[in-house]
Amino acid sequence: MEVKMSRSEPLSQEQRESALKDIQGPDRSVIVPAAKALSEDRTTTSRLLELLSVESHVDARHGILYALSWHADLGTWDLMVRILADPQEAPNVRGQAAEGLSYMFYQVKLDSKEAEAAIKALLAALKDPSPEVRYCAINTLGATGHLPLIPVLKEMLADQTPVPGWVGTVGEEASRALDWIGRAHSQRFKDGL
């Protein structure tokens, strides 16, 4: 499926239905463009959630979560936390759930029970055997801008495991996350928050 679009051009009904069909297939070369197209169409959130509830193929689950991540719908928050914390899920699916949380943290108060549950799952993910899960958890912890996370992120600097498909090592992502937290704190201080 070839879908060319921008944020200003919503999917047509035909493109939407085609992408929803394609994201369910076993062929990653079809799932990836469908997921990218659906990531731009927030009207598909409920349909994607329905598909995710019945889909068991790893690549399809990953593609569905990718699209849902970009919707940044707080209604998916608890689902993302559950998937991240589920050791039965494939590492790339758990990593995608962590990434999905990173796009929503700005909408959640850090002292809320939702943030607390997510941070707990993210901290547990730092001990995951999968470098992809650790990498994505670190990325999301950095996106929180939460100063108390600095010590645990500093500990992750030592993890020099490369992460195929991502930029650099787990430790390098920890370095970037520390930088993001520092910049977020500086901006809040500058804004008087």
Side-chain angles (χ1 to χ4, degrees), residues 3 9 67 83 182 188:
V3 177
E9 297 177 36
I83 290 173
R188 285 186 193 128

Side-chain angles (χ1 to χ4, degrees), residues 163-185:
V163 186
W166 293 91
V167 177
T169 67
V170 172
E172 289 167 348
E173 187 62 15
S175 178
R176 287 186 288 273
L178 287 163
D179 183 51
W180 297 327
I181 288 176
R183 283 188 283 159
H185 179 70

Side-chain angles (χ1 to χ4, degrees), residues 66-96:
Y66 174 87
L68 286 170
S69 294
W70 286 96
H71 292 190
D73 182 332
L74 278 178
T76 64
W77 182 271
D78 291 339
L79 172 69
M80 297 286 184
V81 172
R82 279 194 313 274
I83 290 173
L84 169 62
D86 184 352
Q88 300 304 313
E89 289 283 2
N92 64 336
V93 174
R94 287 182 289 134
Q96 187 60 59

Side-chain angles (χ1 to χ4, degrees), residues 80-82 84-85 101 115-126 137:
M80 297 286 184
V81 172
R82 279 194 313 274
L84 169 62
L101 289 168
E116 183 181 318
I119 290 171
K120 181 179 175 183
L122 290 161
L123 290 172
L126 297 180

Side-chain angles (χ1 to χ4, degrees), residues 5-18:
M5 59 179 288
S6 69
R7 289 244 178 231
S8 60
E9 297 177 36
L11 292 175
S12 69
Q13 183 65 27
E14 181 181 323
Q15 289 172 320
R16 185 178 301 115
E17 292 305 318
S18 178

Side-chain angles (χ1 to χ4, degrees), residues 35-177:
K36 287 181 181 179
L38 293 167
S39 73
E40 298 274 341
D41 187 347
R42 287 180 171 84
T43 68
T44 62
T45 299
S46 63
R47 298 269 307 274
L48 289 167
L49 287 169
E50 289 170 18
L51 292 176
L52 188 65
S53 71
V54 297
E55 184 59 61
S56 61
H57 188 269
V58 171
D59 286 337
R61 288 182 68 74
H62 183 233
I64 292 166
L65 275 177
Y66 174 87
L68 286 170
S69 294
W70 286 96
H71 292 190
D73 182 332
L74 278 178
T76 64
W77 182 271
D78 291 339
L79 172 69
M80 297 286 184
V81 172
R82 279 194 313 274
I83 290 173
L84 169 62
D86 184 352
Q88 300 304 313
E89 289 283 2
N92 64 336
V93 174
R94 287 182 289 134
Q96 187 60 59
E99 184 180 352
L101 289 168
S102 74
Y103 302 137
M104 294 185 276
F105 249 106
Y106 74 94
Q107 301 177 65
V108 176
K109 291 185 186 274
L110 287 174
D111 61 354
S112 69
K113 65 179 177 131
E114 292 82 11
E116 183 181 318
I119 290 171
K120 181 179 175 183
L122 290 161
L123 290 172
L126 297 180
K127 295 175 179 74
D128 198 277
S130 166
E132 182 171 0
V133 173
R134 295 192 310 272
Y135 184 102
C136 292
I138 287 168
N139 174 281
T140 302
L141 289 168
T144 69
H146 196 41
L147 289 174
L149 296 171
I150 289 175
V152 74
L153 289 171
K154 283 184 176 179
E155 288 176 25
M156 296 305 293
L157 291 170
D159 186 344
Q160 290 304 306
T161 310
V163 186
W166 293 91
V167 177
T169 67
V170 172
E172 289 167 348
E173 187 62 15
S175 178
R176 287 186 288 273

